[in-house]
Amino acid sequence: MADDSLFEFLHMEIVSHIFNEQQSSKGELDNKDRAACISLLEAMGFRVGQGLIERLTRDTPSFKDELDIMKFICKDFWTKVFRRQVDNLRTNHQGTYVLQDNKFSLLTQFSSGKQYLDQAPKYLAFSCGVVRGALSNLGLESVVTAEVSIMPSCKFQVVIQKL
Amino acid sequence: MAVCIAVIAKENYPLYIRSVPSQNELKFHYTVHTSLDVVEEKVSAVGKSLADQRELYLGLLYPTEDYKVLRRNNKCVSLTGRNRYGYVTNSKVKFVIVVDSSNTSLRDNEIRSMFRKLHNSFTDVMCNPFYNPGDPIQSNQHLLVLTLLRVVLSTRRCPEILRWWRDEKEAGVTPCDPTVSFPPTVLRSKGGGTGAAVLKTGTGICLGNCSGTWGDGSHGLCLSCDLLCVHPCPWC
């Protein structure tokens, strides 16, 4: 298996590249541009999530229900992708799930504290996309958002869209 | 021998359908389409039951005038015509294989291994960054096509070779005997340029279960079959 730091470096570079590209063409970044960059990152993550889930669920038996799928995401999927399990899964049983990871692997390189809190969403967009892509390929359309209050712990909120 | 492999997307449109022979494709399209209902029924029936493990292999689907489809839960023996086998992945992509059941009766685990290979190739296609999920699967060079054709053809037993092997067996030749060479009238070497009449110089690996290699004289190709070249050792 490749070293984990390879992906971490790549991810950091992807984020900074996208923001630099946007900045060089537009000059100053306003909120709309920032949102565009974040959606781009999320879309990349989406495609990756789709492919990953196909590979990871190749041998697993089919899932009973939504909760089963979320548990799979929290345990096996999170282990394979982020090398740890989700610490806390909460749900309101109506399609909203909150996954809390106390030591998110893509945020461990940041210093804990308030200094870079506003930069954190940029680094979570790709992971949100991965989760959304994984769920989409398993048949659940969803909206995934992430928030950070204390580094490096973060919460992913998954809202399943009922058709 | 007629055979067809289909990959159907989640939304029930075909991503990939290939059949051998290439005539009568419409018939296969129709067959696969009708078997989709059966697949859906299977999947939803399984959801209601309290089985601990729901497997992905569905087995034979149902019998129709021409074709038979096996189901995993209640195995019915097919009578005539063609068997259809189904398989659903966790991402709700369905695979359907239609095979002729008249000459060879395929064992269950052979079908499963076919689906296994198919699933592996499909996973590789999904991971291809140039492939957008939901697009029809194209590309003749892609691994998927080759694997599928191999999978399909690996279950063929050329009657010419079978006849020859049967005679050899009666003469007391042991299986996969590396010293046995195919008679030049029956076989030719796989394309690859070396072009010897007897398969002593071809290269390749048996797609059956034994690990013999072509070129050791114990496996071969048939001159009369026009397709890709693999016939696994009939004793495997």
Side-chain angles (χ1 to χ4, degrees), chain A residues 25-92:
Chain A
S25 62
K26 288 274 182 79
E28 254 321 303
L29 281 183
D30 61 5
N31 275 339
K32 218 163 57 138
D33 296 327
R34 255 186 275 269
C37 292
I38 294 205
S39 343
L40 194 57
L41 283 166
E42 218 249 351
M44 288 170 68
F46 184 79
R47 178 66 184 97
V48 170
Q50 284 182 316
L52 265 181
I53 206 75
E54 188 70 47
R55 210 175 264 288
L56 294 178
T57 56
R58 187 163 54 188
D59 297 313
T60 57
S62 43
F63 299 110
K64 284 195 274 290
D65 57 10
E66 227 173 72
L67 192 56
D68 211 25
I69 293 181
M70 289 312 295
K71 286 188 191 162
F72 174 80
I73 299 271
C74 292
K75 296 203 184 107
D76 301 318
F77 187 76
W78 220 261
T79 314
K80 289 269 164 60
V81 180
F82 301 117
R83 299 184 308 282
R84 48 180 285 114
Q85 289 191 5
V86 161
D87 293 306
N88 198 345
L89 169 67
R90 289 200 295 275
T91 173
N92 67 354

Side-chain angles (χ1 to χ4, degrees), chain B residues 1-21:
Chain B
M1 178 174 156
V3 119
C4 166
I5 288 181
V7 176
I8 317 284
K10 199 176 3 187
E11 293 86 9
N12 289 335
Y13 62 88
L15 289 176
Y16 186 83
I17 297 188
R18 287 290 181 276
S19 52
V20 167

Side-chain angles (χ1 to χ4, degrees), chain A residues 104-129:
Chain A
F104 192 58
S105 61
L106 295 173
L107 289 180
T108 44
Q109 310 302 321
F110 286 67
S111 58
S112 46
K114 304 267 185 230
Q115 190 178 9
Y116 295 107
L117 216 47
D118 54 345
Q119 304 287 321
K122 290 200 272 188
Y123 292 87
L124 294 171
F126 185 83
S127 315
C128 289

Side-chain angles (χ1 to χ4, degrees), chain A residues 47 50-64 136-141, chain B residues 10 53-54 56 87 89-91 116 119-120 122-129 131-133:
Chain A
R47 178 66 184 97
Q50 284 182 316
L52 265 181
I53 206 75
E54 188 70 47
R55 210 175 264 288
L56 294 178
T57 56
R58 187 163 54 188
D59 297 313
T60 57
S62 43
F63 299 110
K64 284 195 274 290
S136 152
N137 220 7
L138 289 173
L140 297 177
E141 289 302 318
Chain B
K10 199 176 3 187
Q53 231 207 15
R54 240 129 314 128
L56 306 174
Y87 181 100
T89 67
N90 269 314
S91 48
R116 190 102 228 112
H119 197 172
N120 290 344
F122 179 72
T123 309
D124 291 337
V125 169
M126 269 308 267
C127 293
N128 178 3
Y131 170 74
N132 294 320

